[in-house]
Amino acid sequence: MEIIEYFSCDNKNHWLDELRKCNWPAGKFLSSLITENKIYETLGTNTIIPMLVDGGNLVSFCTLAKWDEIQPTKLTPWIGFVYTYPEYRGHHYAGMLLKYAESIAGIMGMEYVYISTDHIGLYEKYGYEFLEMAKTIYDEESKIYRKSLKECDKKYGDIEKAKIVSYWKNKKEQIAYCGFSCNHCFLGKWCGGCRSNFNVCSYSACFMDGNCPNAICAKKKKIDGCYNCSDIFSCNVGFYGSGNDSIACKAQAIFIAKHGDEALVNILNELHKNYDFKEIQEILGVDLEKSLEILESEYIKLQK
């Protein structure tokens, strides 16, 4: 047996068919969210679906998501839709999935993970403690359990999350809406990028919906990124508000507008041979005009 993650696995159609075999109403609802492409708007971006499989058979599944049936709430993330097929019950297989989900949440820097349930005596076996009662979106009372992630196996989560991030990075271009190169960001190992459904950008995390104002604005204007906007020099939306990071980011976006994203990536590749992400941000973050001069100078060097 092994654990795979639905969105980053091979043969999704097969595993969706296996999921549809679940007679549990919540399981059917989950498969419908996938089929109708509504899972991210319902459970939040970064939702993953760990699945324990036995060859071609689905043994058990769950979700790790920003939201579950307790809404609205500031509590996050949630493990939900925990289910083991009848023929596989009695072997604590669900516990393997809980460990997987907990390790991913731990790597993402979460302090606790939460479960909403009407079960008593089930999740306590896996280290969960009752927190409080709350109303679900169905106006029903539910028990909220939580577990501290201080002792979770982060090494395991490191490996598993790297697989998920690798999948998303291969699916989306790695220039963020704001102009940053995601592959050169200090979060590059952990984040699939703001154009993916596995975005853990530290700036977007400041917002409840997980979307930074720059991404929202670009989508609203129907442009590829801020570098395609005629207002970029005067813009103070989102990341362009203030501070060194703001100047460095805007300089890179303006450079992309003039020379293209490939040219920026080539320059950053060279700069990263001698400086780390933070140092480059400091170099490019002092003054916008000076930052553009630096980028232009590096661009000329690469042309020779």
Side-chain angles (χ1 to χ4, degrees):
M1 292 194 184
E2 64 174 329
I3 296 177
I4 61 176
E5 195 280 313
Y6 173 78
F7 292 108
S8 55
C9 77
D10 297 323
N11 202 2
K12 291 183 183 61
N13 289 336
H14 169 75
W15 296 115
L16 181 55
D17 286 340
E18 286 291 299
L19 184 59
R20 287 177 177 140
K21 293 178 182 178
C22 175
N23 291 321
W24 181 42
K28 290 186 176 296
F29 178 57
L30 179 60
S31 64
S32 71
L33 290 178
I34 298 173
T35 303
E36 297 168 14
N37 198 27
K38 293 182 178 180
I39 193 161
Y40 296 117
E41 66 179 76
T42 304
L43 301 181
T45 54
N46 302 345
T47 295
I48 64 171
I49 304 178
M51 302 184 298
L52 180 64
V53 302
D54 181 13
N57 298 319
L58 182 54
V59 175
S60 188
F61 61 84
C62 71
T63 59
L64 174 66
K66 183 174 184 178
W67 303 310
D68 196 55
E69 62 180 2
I70 305 295
Q71 296 184 32
T73 179
K74 293 181 179 180
L75 305 180
T76 194
W78 295 82
I79 294 178
F81 296 90
V82 183
Y83 183 82
T84 300
Y85 286 80
E87 60 269 32
Y88 289 102
R89 291 174 185 169
H91 301 281
H92 302 288
Y93 288 142
M96 297 171 63
L97 290 181
L98 293 177
K99 179 180 178 182
Y100 179 100
E102 292 159 8
S103 66
I104 298 294
I107 284 296
M108 293 172 73
M110 301 300 176
E111 184 177 0
Y112 295 97
V113 68
Y114 301 87
I115 291 178
S116 170
T117 182
D118 58 2
H119 287 289
I120 299 175
L122 174 60
Y123 294 106
E124 289 90 335
K125 299 175 184 177
Y126 301 107
Y128 285 80
E129 298 178 338
F130 174 76
L131 178 64
E132 61 188 20
M133 298 294 296
K135 286 278 189 179
T136 70
I137 55 176
Y138 309 107
D139 199 33
E140 298 174 345
E141 289 287 333
S142 180
K143 302 174 185 67
I144 296 178
Y145 285 81
R146 76 175 182 182
K147 182 177 181 179
S148 171
L149 298 176
K150 289 182 179 179
E151 304 300 326
C152 74
D153 188 347
K154 293 185 179 181
K155 182 178 180 181
Y156 177 59
D158 187 351
I159 296 170
E160 293 304 311
K161 189 178 179 189
K163 294 178 184 176
I164 297 171
V165 169
S166 177
Y167 166 81
W168 285 113
K169 278 185 172 290
N170 289 332
K171 296 296 179 181
K172 299 288 181 180
E173 66 172 285
Q174 290 303 298
I175 296 295
Y177 290 99
C178 64
F180 266 140
S181 170
C182 295
N183 284 335
H184 295 90
C185 177
F186 73 100
L187 283 171
K189 183 179 179 181
W190 311 116
C191 179
C194 59
R195 297 180 190 272
S196 79
N197 285 314
F198 201 78
N199 172 28
V200 294
C201 169
S202 58
Y203 184 70
S204 64
C206 297
F207 302 91
M208 283 297 293
D209 59 2
N211 290 313
C212 83
N214 299 86
I216 294 172
C217 183
K219 292 175 184 178
K220 185 177 180 179
K221 292 184 176 181
K222 297 182 179 179
I223 57 177
D224 188 60
C226 301
Y227 37 83
N228 292 142
C229 182
S230 59
D231 299 326
I232 188 168
F233 278 94
S234 59
C235 181
N236 60 3
V237 170
F239 218 156
Y240 299 155
S242 63
N244 289 358
D245 282 344
S246 169
I247 295 172
C249 183
K250 182 178 284 192
Q252 291 175 72
I254 292 172
F255 181 87
I256 291 173
K258 184 176 181 180
H259 297 292
D261 55 13
E262 185 177 349
L264 176 66
V265 169
N266 290 335
I267 288 172
L268 292 176
N269 285 341
E270 289 300 311
L271 290 176
H272 272 266
K273 291 178 181 179
N274 299 309
Y275 308 101
D276 62 21
F277 177 82
K278 183 178 179 181
E279 290 170 332
I280 292 174
Q281 289 299 98
E282 292 174 351
I283 292 170
L284 297 178
V286 177
D287 175 82
L288 182 60
E289 185 176 344
K290 181 64 176 178
S291 297
L292 291 172
E293 288 178 2
I294 293 172
L295 292 173
E296 287 291 342
S297 175
E298 293 296 325
Y299 178 67
I300 292 172
K301 289 179 184 178
L302 290 176
Q303 303 307 302
K304 295 180 180 180

